[in-house]
Amino acid sequence: MNRQKFIDKFMAAFFILVIIKVIGILAQLFHQSFWSVVGTLVIFIIIAFIIFIVLTRLEDKEKERNSGGRHGAGGGSFYVENSLFDRIRSKYEELAQKYIDEKDYKKAARVYMNLLRDNYRGAKTLEEGSFYNEAAVIYLKKLKNKSEAANCYEKAKQYRKAIDLYKELEQKEKVGDLYREINDAKNANTYYQMVVDDYVSNNQMVKGSLIYRKKMELPEEAQKILLKGWEEDKDAFNCLNNYFANIFEVKKLDQEILELYQKTPEEKKLTYLEAMKYEFKKDEKLQSTIRNIAYEIIAEKVATHSEIVNELKHFNPNDEVILKDISRYKTGRNRMFRN
């Protein structure tokens, strides 16, 4: 097929499609509003006119080439087809961008979906224009993207619809958040508890405690789960550190530090010592208790962990004598090993 024949056939097919499309648009009057149908028809007429102009120009150029003499006809039709479709697509893109610039997001979305066959960009354009319900429908029905649809329903404050989708996606914490948004505390806590149980089963005790404290407002349960993590050696240091961080009264914290230390088994005392470095800096009223605990742990462990003497400086930051004693101890120990 030479280029002229291709253009002629394409134009014939184009006019047939235009007629069919116009009939289809008019048929929408039976189930859509009059002005909605008129808007769609106007957009289509504009696009059809643009395509007609492009085709006409291509036809004129081809006639000029033919009048000037034929030059190898073989590979020309492929070039014409690509050139034609690229130009049409470019016009569609320009039109969609024009509507976006004019803040007419619905028309831009129609161009993307109906003419460019790009449902994703159509949905994103509707979302950009704050038409969240419409965007959600496209994500759900055209793109099968439940996550994006749920996000749009949430933005539209269609919380029940969003909850149903998040349940299917097994995003339990999100379900809890949305139940809380609609003041359904019972269902919210049911789903938050599922999240906590998942964290605990995966030994993520700190994350579980944060759900109890920040979302379920159960600080005592949060402390229990942190204590469980410490006792069962599941992310022990972070559990202990967070446990102490959640005690805000200095006198109570001082008492808890001492009582918990007395229950600490030998194999975990080095971890306890590490936690004491942080607690020591919180308040001067804590320092006496913490320093005594540190001295006791260091004295017990120095025979098997000689480097532990370096920890003394954390509990005596301004004591130069301690620093000199540490230095002398290390020097003497090095000489002993050399001899």
Side-chain angles (χ1 to χ4, degrees):
M1 181 193 296
N2 61 34
R3 281 178 279 186
Q4 184 60 50
K5 285 183 179 179
F6 169 77
I7 294 173
D8 291 342
K9 288 187 177 182
F10 190 90
M11 286 188 73
F14 173 72
F15 283 119
I16 293 171
L17 288 172
V18 167
I19 293 169
I20 294 172
K21 184 66 175 177
V22 169
I23 293 170
I25 292 172
L26 292 174
Q28 293 177 4
L29 283 168
F30 292 105
H31 52 86
Q32 291 188 13
S33 68
F34 174 76
W35 290 111
S36 174
V37 173
V38 169
T40 303
L41 185 60
V42 168
I43 293 173
F44 179 73
I45 290 171
I46 292 171
I47 297 299
F49 181 71
I50 292 170
I51 296 172
F52 177 73
I53 291 173
V54 172
L55 288 171
T56 303
R57 287 183 179 175
L58 282 173
E59 188 176 32
D60 290 342
K61 286 184 179 180
E62 189 58 32
K63 285 178 180 178
E64 288 176 8
R65 288 195 190 98
N66 290 339
S67 64
R70 288 177 172 257
H71 305 282
S77 65
F78 177 77
Y79 169 78
V80 173
E81 291 176 38
N82 279 337
S83 175
L84 175 62
F85 289 121
D86 286 345
R87 290 190 189 189
I88 292 171
R89 184 175 183 81
S90 177
K91 291 296 181 182
Y92 289 162
E93 294 279 0
E94 289 174 10
L95 183 63
Q97 189 58 52
K98 174 178 174 292
Y99 284 138
I100 290 173
D101 294 340
E102 294 172 355
K103 308 297 182 185
D104 198 340
Y105 295 99
K106 282 191 174 181
K107 286 184 180 179
R110 284 185 196 138
V111 172
Y112 282 129
M113 292 186 291
N114 296 335
L115 301 176
L116 288 167
R117 301 296 178 189
D118 192 335
N119 291 322
Y120 181 79
R121 289 171 73 189
K124 276 296 178 188
T125 301
L126 289 169
E127 189 177 351
E128 184 182 342
S130 299
F131 296 104
Y132 300 121
N133 279 306
E134 293 87 341
V137 171
I138 302 303
Y139 281 128
L140 196 57
K141 294 187 176 179
K142 300 278 189 183
L143 299 167
K144 311 300 180 186
N145 190 327
K146 292 180 181 179
S147 179
E148 293 284 4
N151 183 49
C152 283
Y153 278 134
E154 184 181 350
K155 289 178 180 178
K157 300 188 185 301
Q158 297 285 327
Y159 295 124
R160 293 287 179 183
K161 291 181 179 180
I163 284 170
D164 289 340
L165 289 174
Y166 282 128
K167 283 180 180 178
E168 292 181 36
L169 294 166
E170 296 186 350
Q171 293 190 24
K172 299 168 189 173
E173 186 173 347
K174 196 68 179 177
V175 172
D177 290 343
L178 295 185
Y179 271 128
R180 191 168 64 167
E181 193 71 35
I182 59 176
N183 299 315
D184 187 344
K186 183 179 179 181
N187 275 316
N189 285 345
T190 296
Y191 275 87
Y192 285 145
Q193 186 61 54
M194 292 180 191
V195 177
V196 173
D197 293 342
D198 287 343
Y199 280 139
V200 171
S201 66
N202 290 313
N203 297 332
Q204 295 177 292
M205 315 303 255
V206 173
K207 287 185 176 181
S209 75
L210 290 174
I211 298 294
Y212 271 139
R213 177 171 294 278
K214 294 183 178 295
K215 298 200 172 182
M216 298 175 74
E217 299 179 0
L218 296 171
E220 291 181 2
E221 293 300 318
Q223 291 297 78
K224 286 179 183 177
I225 203 172
L226 289 170
L227 200 55
K228 178 183 172 70
W230 162 249
E231 291 172 348
E232 296 181 4
D233 208 16
K234 297 174 180 177
D235 194 16
F237 173 78
N238 286 320
C239 284
L240 185 63
N241 201 23
N242 278 272
Y243 180 81
F244 289 142
N246 293 329
I247 301 174
F248 304 104
E249 187 183 335
V250 174
K251 187 176 180 180
K252 184 179 179 182
L253 178 58
D254 186 75
Q255 182 182 352
E256 196 67 26
I257 286 171
L258 183 58
E259 289 181 1
L260 202 55
Y261 170 65
Q262 291 170 348
K263 300 175 186 176
T264 299
E266 287 298 320
E267 67 272 11
K268 293 172 71 174
K269 284 189 175 180
L270 290 178
T271 304
Y272 204 90
L273 180 65
E274 190 67 25
M276 290 302 97
K277 294 180 190 177
Y278 294 88
E279 302 309 310
F280 186 83
K281 299 174 185 176
K282 284 184 178 178
D283 195 295
E284 288 185 2
K285 295 175 183 177
L286 300 171
Q287 291 181 356
S288 177
T289 299
I290 293 173
R291 188 181 287 115
N292 289 335
I293 289 172
Y295 286 171
E296 187 172 317
I297 294 173
I298 291 168
E300 288 177 4
K301 301 294 182 182
V302 70
T304 54
H305 299 79
S306 60
E307 71 282 358
I308 202 172
V309 296
N310 291 316
E311 304 297 340
L312 287 169
K313 62 187 177 185
H314 295 289
F315 305 98
N316 299 277
N318 301 315
D319 191 334
E320 294 184 4
V321 175
I322 286 285
L323 295 176
K324 290 178 181 177
D325 287 344
I326 293 171
S327 179
R328 279 198 295 270
Y329 174 83
K330 290 167 69 177
T331 302
R333 189 170 179 82
N334 289 337
R335 285 176 181 169
M336 182 181 71
F337 277 115
R338 280 199 298 271
N339 294 332

